Amino acid sequence: MNREYNAKISGIGSCVPDHIITNHDLEQLVDTNDEWIQSRTGIRERRKADSTQATSDLATEAAKIALRSAGISPEDLDAIVVATTTPDMAFPSTACIVQKNIGAHHAFAYDVSAACAGFLFALSNATQHIQSGMCRHVLLIGADKMSHITDFQDRNTCVLFGDGAGAIVLSNSDDGEGVIQTELGSDGRHGDILSVPAGGTRQPLTAETLPLRKHYIDMNGSEVFKMAVRAMENSARLLLEKTGYHIDQIDWLVPHQANKRIIDTLGKKMGLPNERVFINLQHYGNMSAASIPVALDEAYRSHLLKPDQLILMVAFGGGLTWGSSLLRWTMKSQNNE
Ligand code: ACO
């Protein structure tokens, strides 16, 4: 592809809260059991932020690690993009709060809202900031405190989600491909199968509406399952077709970590062997926008990602939103990080 600059990952980091909620812990809250949760989702445990930790706190820690790994200072950043559906507040944006926390005084900062696909939507923006020549270094964070919008009285949803943040630094480069292309899609007609109906301007949160529990995630699980598989497969196939790559050339599929059965079905439909699919949802559940960058960070720190490998990322979320992105990994493993 003809472009002035390439955008490549030069730093990466993640942060999850210390507090672990196991499936057995959830058995104390709702009528569920470890066997059901593991067999239907693959999840064993998830992390939960405490009441003093907001989304920006997790995002800030992940950002500091990513900046250290990139070897640049906050002052070097030209932009900060945070993908989140659980911002600290309506405004300032979580990105502006992170900017203040890390002292990135030269950066412009804004949030992107595309639910579980948010990281790939934000990656598309950040890549274009670099490829256009507008920015040299962009800090890109996926961060969500899903426990804030999770109803711990609803067994259909409370077993699925967790809190966390993952960050990358995207930098311009004239060597190495970096991000090759990103493909995005949305379909607002089916927004009601996965939503948080109340708490916004349509159904404000009041003393009367609070007991209805509509300010928590509402989900039609089986519909989400079917649409997620279909949309992610179509998006990934379209991306491969447009970029001229074949599935056999993909070294790692790093998918949104929602449900092991969704990922297994997708891998099988795409013809990818399990050994080339990275899964860490057993430890974290679905961390929404944080799930792909945390998975990338873990795969990198486990020395699984090697320079020149082709990485395919795919995601699906509320909206509905979905996307896929193909990148050439460029960071060398560092034992001392
Ligand atoms: N423990 C025990 N039983 C449960 C639980 C639970 N935690 N949750 C639901 N059930 C019950 C239901 O009440 C229902 O009971 P009923 O038949 O008596 O009414 C039954 O289990 C449903 O069972 P299944 O049909 O076998 O459930 P399914 O295989 O569809 O699995 C699940 C449900 C896990 C929610 C699945 O549909 C799913 O993963 N969907 C995708 C959801 C998702 O990933 N959402 C995240 C956001 S979008 C994204 O990130 C991709």
Side-chain angles (χ1 to χ4, degrees):
M1 179 168 290
N2 247 345
R3 56 171 79 117
E4 203 165 343
Y5 300 99
N6 290 319
K8 67 173 188 182
I9 298 181
S10 60
I12 188 160
S14 63
C15 169
V16 294
D18 293 334
H19 184 47
I20 295 173
I21 309 254
T22 65
N23 291 346
H24 294 296
D25 294 331
L26 291 175
E27 289 171 5
Q28 312 305 311
L29 299 178
V30 290
D31 180 14
T32 190
N33 58 78
D34 177 53
E35 196 282 322
W36 192 97
I37 301 172
Q38 287 214 43
S39 64
R40 298 306 205 289
T41 71
I43 300 165
R44 291 207 294 263
E45 58 192 32
R46 68 287 294 143
R47 302 299 178 99
K48 186 171 185 293
D50 68 33
S51 58
T52 66
Q53 281 174 309
T55 300
S56 68
D57 297 318
L58 301 173
T60 299
E61 284 315 305
K64 287 178 179 168
I65 300 167
L67 286 169
R68 267 204 305 279
S69 118
I72 64 166
S73 95
E75 303 268 354
D76 295 324
L77 289 172
D78 302 303
I80 300 174
V81 188
V82 175
T84 187
T85 28
T86 51
D88 289 22
M89 56 190 82
F91 60 86
S93 68
T94 305
C96 282
I97 297 169
V98 171
Q99 179 201 23
K100 178 188 70 176
N101 290 350
I102 62 176
H105 305 302
H106 304 307
F108 64 89
Y110 63 94
D111 287 1
V112 166
S113 167
C116 298
F119 182 75
L120 296 186
F121 278 65
L123 177 66
S124 171
N125 281 7
T127 303
Q128 288 170 54
H129 292 330
I130 300 236
Q131 287 174 348
S132 67
M134 186 187 193
C135 298
R136 273 181 319 134
H137 300 291
V138 180
L139 174 64
L140 167 53
I141 306 171
D144 269 306
K145 182 174 176 177
M146 295 305 283
S147 59
H148 175 65
I149 51 171
T150 299
D151 185 352
F152 286 95
Q153 294 181 15
D154 176 12
R155 69 176 183 172
N156 291 299
T157 52
C158 75
V159 301
L160 301 175
F161 298 97
D163 302 337
I168 60 171
V169 176
L170 265 194
S171 301
N172 70 357
S173 113
D174 40 22
D175 65 325
E177 265 178 317
V179 180
I180 296 166
Q181 197 162 316
T182 301
E183 189 62 40
L184 302 174
S186 304
D187 189 348
R189 290 171 300 178
H190 303 290
D192 59 344
I193 65 168
L194 181 57
S195 67
V196 178
T201 55
R202 178 62 64 193
Q203 291 187 51
L205 193 55
T206 63
E208 287 74 39
T209 61
L210 190 66
L212 302 174
R213 309 183 79 76
K214 296 274 189 201
H215 55 296
Y216 292 124
I217 296 166
D218 180 65
M219 184 186 74
N220 178 337
S222 54
E223 276 304 302
V224 170
F225 191 109
K226 279 186 276 184
M227 290 212 177
V229 172
R230 199 181 311 144
M232 288 197 285
E233 183 191 359
N234 289 344
S235 176
R237 286 195 187 282
L238 187 62
L239 180 66
L240 290 175
E241 196 182 302
K242 282 187 176 178
T243 52
Y245 286 96
H246 189 268
I247 193 71
D248 292 343
Q249 294 171 277
I250 302 299
D251 293 290
W252 284 105
L253 173 67
V254 182
H256 169 51
Q257 308 281 318
N259 179 319
K260 186 168 182 305
R261 287 191 304 149
I262 292 180
I263 296 175
D264 287 347
T265 311
L266 178 67
K268 202 175 283 172
K269 280 174 174 281
M270 298 289 301
L272 262 179
N274 291 344
E275 308 80 68
R276 288 196 270 145
V277 181
F278 185 79
I279 298 186
N280 66 349
L281 59 75
Q282 62 276 22
H283 299 302
Y284 305 115
N286 180 348
M287 296 183 287
S288 194
S291 97
I292 287 184
V294 171
L296 269 185
D297 186 43
E298 279 205 4
Y300 167 66
R301 281 171 207 282
S302 314
H303 307 286
L304 296 174
L305 305 188
K306 309 244 161 52
D308 268 344
Q309 285 186 334
L310 259 187
I311 316 289
L312 174 64
M313 300 174 281
V314 279
F316 177 89
L320 303 173
T321 55
W322 59 84
S324 55
S325 187
L326 193 60
L327 72 86
R328 181 79 65 186
W329 192 256
T330 43
M331 288 179 71
K332 291 194 182 78
S333 288
Q334 291 184 5
N335 294 322
N336 54 354
E337 274 191 71

